[in-house]
């Protein structure tokens, strides 16, 4: 019998769940194979060499063995632990939101090095300043783009006319922006301000560092958040749990010291 095939992959851990007595079922996003679910044998024992290497949001050089039904983790070497991001409640909540979106959009046997890099870049920017909201908007927008669900921002998706510098409408259902003259029957249709459209265009053409430095009003930030997270949810077809958690965290009134 041929020996089992092993492979190495740079990967970011998304989540894990306990399996059997001492194992972990780990969901990860690899740079060159897309999403992978693999078993960490004995990983819950304190003596396991995998302890501390399989925490969500950890970037790992992973060795895996091709299993009959599921791959087995044989070795893990931490490249980047994002430890200061994980020590901060806002930071870890935002990081887990990204992980849940990658889990939802990423597919097995369909690698996207671009999506992998987007995850690493966004975690890096959030680790430097977890209070920023723009990295999440940048991530959501580019996640849609990488997934081929890129919303149209320059032409009305109905009449195909070039959009005037004016207020418009937006719907994930029809693929992006519509002029005010077009109003198809669409429950997802919503207003889109000119300022929000301009920021979306900037997010599209800039890098994450430039987009994250953008200083916008709370109103505009709220409009973009609602628009992009609704679009992501629309395509994912389900609520993203950590997003509701972020929402609660945001709305919580902190006691004055
Ligand atoms: Zn139109």
């Amino acid at each position: 019998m041929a020996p089992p095939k092993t492979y190495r992959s740079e990967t970011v851990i998304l989540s894990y769940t306990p399996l059997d007595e001492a194992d972990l079922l780990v969901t990860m996003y690899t740079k060159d194979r897309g999403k992978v679910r693999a078993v960490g044998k004995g990983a819950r024992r304190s003596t396991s060499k995998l302890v501390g290497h399989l925490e969500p949001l950890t970037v790992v050089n992973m060795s895996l063995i091709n299993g009959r039904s599921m791959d087995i983790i044989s070795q893990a070497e931490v490249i980047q632990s994002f430890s200061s991001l994980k020590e901060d409640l806002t930071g870890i909540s935002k990081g887990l939101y990204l992980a849940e979106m990658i889990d939802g959009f990423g597919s097995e046997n369909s690698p996207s090095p671009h999506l992998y890099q987007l995850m690493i870049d966004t975690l890096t920017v959030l680790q430097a300043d977890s209070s920023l909201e723009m990295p999440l908007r940048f991530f959501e927008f580019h996640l849609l783009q990488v997934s081929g669900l890129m919303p149209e921002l320059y032409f009305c998706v109905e009449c195909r006319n070039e959009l005037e510098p004016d207020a418009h409408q937006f719907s994930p259902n029809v693929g992006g922006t519509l002029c005010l003259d077009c109003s198809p029957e669409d429950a997802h249709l919503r207003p889109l301000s000119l300022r929000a459209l301009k920021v979306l265009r900037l997010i599209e053409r800039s890098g994450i560092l430039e987009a994250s430095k953008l200083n916008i009003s709370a109103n505009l930030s709220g409009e973009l958040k609602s628009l992009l997270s609704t679009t992501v949810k629309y395509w994912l077809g389900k609520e993203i749990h950590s997003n509701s958690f972020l929402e609660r965290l945001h709305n919580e009134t902190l006691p004055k010291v």
Side-chain angles (χ1 to χ4, degrees):
M1 202 171 75
K5 253 171 89 179
T6 62
Y7 62 94
R8 280 178 77 80
S9 206
E10 192 181 308
T11 181
V12 57
I13 310 290
L14 302 179
S15 63
Y16 61 64
T17 48
L19 187 73
D20 298 332
E21 212 170 282
D23 303 345
L24 282 180
L25 175 59
V26 182
T27 305
M28 60 191 99
Y29 196 79
T30 67
K31 195 176 186 175
D32 51 4
R33 286 172 182 250
K35 193 161 80 173
V36 170
R37 276 150 64 85
V39 179
K41 291 265 183 209
R44 280 155 64 207
R45 291 199 184 99
S46 58
T47 51
S48 167
K49 60 185 192 304
L50 294 175
V51 165
H53 293 60
L54 303 178
E55 292 301 317
L57 312 181
T58 307
V59 184
V60 180
N61 239 333
M62 187 83 86
S63 296
L64 297 116
I65 304 166
N66 272 135
R68 202 177 295 165
S69 59
M70 198 118 30
D71 294 354
I72 310 287
I73 299 168
S74 64
Q75 245 182 341
E77 180 194 323
V78 175
I79 304 172
Q80 164 69 283
S81 64
F82 288 111
S83 52
S84 57
L85 180 82
K86 292 175 195 164
E87 283 162 12
D88 158 23
L89 187 58
T90 307
I92 192 154
S93 310
K94 287 183 175 173
L96 292 176
Y97 171 62
L98 306 183
E100 206 172 331
M101 282 194 284
I102 293 272
D103 190 7
F105 278 83
S107 41
E108 285 162 47
N109 305 314
S110 172
S112 169
H114 194 123
L115 191 55
Y116 179 81
Q117 197 56 46
L118 178 65
M119 178 69 172
I120 304 296
D121 291 348
T122 313
L123 288 174
T124 305
V125 171
L126 284 174
Q127 172 154 267
D129 184 353
S130 68
S131 71
L132 295 173
E133 283 293 317
M134 279 305 282
L136 296 185
R137 304 297 83 82
F138 183 93
F139 180 91
E140 289 159 343
F141 186 93
H142 287 272
L143 175 72
L144 291 168
Q145 192 179 43
V146 168
S147 310
L149 305 167
M150 161 67 191
E152 169 62 56
L153 300 175
Y154 292 88
F155 295 90
C156 171
V157 292
E158 278 285 296
C159 65
R160 303 306 303 166
N161 284 335
E162 196 171 346
L163 295 169
E164 302 286 333
D166 200 352
H168 297 291
Q169 312 172 88
F170 184 92
S171 168
N173 190 35
V174 292
T177 313
L178 297 101
C179 72
L180 290 179
D181 296 332
C182 293
S183 39
E185 280 289 314
D186 181 357
H188 299 278
L189 203 63
R190 52 187 294 148
L192 171 70
S193 72
L194 179 60
R195 285 183 312 156
L197 178 63
K198 283 182 172 169
V199 176
L200 289 174
R201 286 176 176 175
L202 188 135
I203 290 176
E204 182 188 15
R205 63 173 186 265
S206 64
I208 191 166
L209 288 176
E210 193 191 335
S212 300
K213 281 186 199 139
L214 206 64
N215 197 359
I216 57 174
S217 70
N219 264 354
L220 183 54
S221 173
E223 182 182 356
L224 289 163
K225 180 180 182 172
S226 160
L227 185 139
L228 283 170
S229 65
T230 305
T231 306
V232 165
K233 251 184 261 171
Y234 172 84
W235 287 111
L236 208 52
K238 62 166 189 171
E239 279 281 338
I240 297 177
H241 303 298
S242 31
N243 201 23
S244 333
F245 176 69
L246 271 181
E247 209 57 58
R248 285 207 306 279
L249 197 66
H250 184 77
N251 295 334
E252 217 164 75
T253 321
L254 294 171
K256 290 206 167 66
V257 201

